[in-house]
Every structure is written in structure tokens, then in C-alpha cells.
Amino acid sequence: MIPDLQGSLLCEDVRMEASGSNTIVGVVNFIGAPSLPIRIFKACVWTRWCSGSGQYTQVTKIVAPDEETVIGEATIQFELKDVESHTTNVNVFTGLEFKEYGIYHVEILLDGQLKIRYPVNVIRIPPPHA
């Protein structure tokens, strides 16, 4: 049974608490930079799957505005024991380089099928005043 993607977020960090819960830090709405290219030290993509049963492969991609260039990609294998179980996956990307302003996309694929695609806008912001 194919699971449902309960949610996905691009964020600055995901921390595992002693209770087993995740703390999502710095949900990314856009990336602002006074000039390009810009390198992001760390970015995380948090996903949660539920209501499925079996073994799966999740591929997470970050795609440039040209819709073809993949600037980051990660793969996670996971298993859901039964339809009452769930899993949370976190992909950590380091050193992502954004070379142009525009709309990038986060894509989540399950066993090769696109499940969600959402935009992340890289925008020009004025440099801070000296």
C-alpha cells in the first residue's frame, strides 16, 4: 500500500529531542541575498509519511530555475510496517550553491513518482547599510 506524504518543509535544521520528537528550526519561505552566488551552509528537508505498508525509496531534489539543473539530491530508504505506522525522514544538504535569482523547487519522489513539488524563491535583497 502506497503511503501518504503527510508533509514536507525546507528548513535550517531539524533537531531530535530526548522525547523522540522533532524540532523544526527556521522554516525557509525564501532565500535572500544581496549578490550571487551564495552558498548555504546547511539546509534540511523534513518529510513525514503515513498510512502505507512496505519498503520505499524517497528521493529529494532541489532544482534550479531552469527546471533541469539539480543542485542537490538525496536518497532515503524507509519501511512502514503497517498502515498504522509512520516515519519522518530528514535530508541534510550542505554547501548548496544558488547561482541565480529565481524560483527553485523542492521535489519529493517516492519510488520514482513525484509526490510534491514546491517553490523556494531566491531573491535579491539590498545589502545592509554600513
Side-chain angles (χ1 to χ4, degrees):
M1 181 175 191
I2 306 261
D4 294 326
L5 178 58
Q6 194 174 17
S8 177
L9 292 169
L10 177 65
C11 55
E12 294 175 5
D13 198 10
V14 178
R15 299 184 185 141
M16 178 65 86
E17 303 298 335
S19 66
S21 298
N22 295 137
T23 297
I24 297 170
V25 178
V27 175
V28 175
N29 297 311
F30 66 89
I31 297 169
S35 64
L36 295 176
I38 184 172
R39 274 190 180 261
I40 303 296
F41 173 70
K42 180 181 181 183
C44 297
V45 175
W46 176 94
T47 53
R48 182 174 162 117
W49 298 91
C50 64
S51 304
S53 178
Q55 295 186 354
Y56 305 97
T57 301
Q58 173 187 320
V59 176
T60 303
K61 297 180 183 180
I62 301 175
V63 182
D66 68 6
E67 303 284 334
E68 293 182 17
T69 305
V70 176
I71 66 165
E73 184 172 333
T75 301
I76 293 178
Q77 307 283 329
F78 68 96
E79 180 178 10
L80 294 170
K81 300 267 187 215
D82 56 54
V83 295
E84 300 300 321
S85 59
H86 66 275
T87 191
T88 300
N89 297 332
V90 178
N91 294 114
V92 178
F93 296 92
T94 58
L96 286 176
E97 184 174 60
F98 297 88
K99 295 181 180 180
E100 61 185 302
Y101 295 108
I103 298 180
Y104 291 72
H105 286 92
V106 175
E107 296 182 348
I108 307 295
L109 295 91
L110 183 71
D111 293 340
Q113 298 293 316
L114 183 64
K115 291 297 176 183
I116 192 169
R117 180 177 191 261
Y118 53 93
V120 178
N121 199 359
V122 176
I123 62 172
R124 183 186 314 266
I125 57 170
H129 292 59

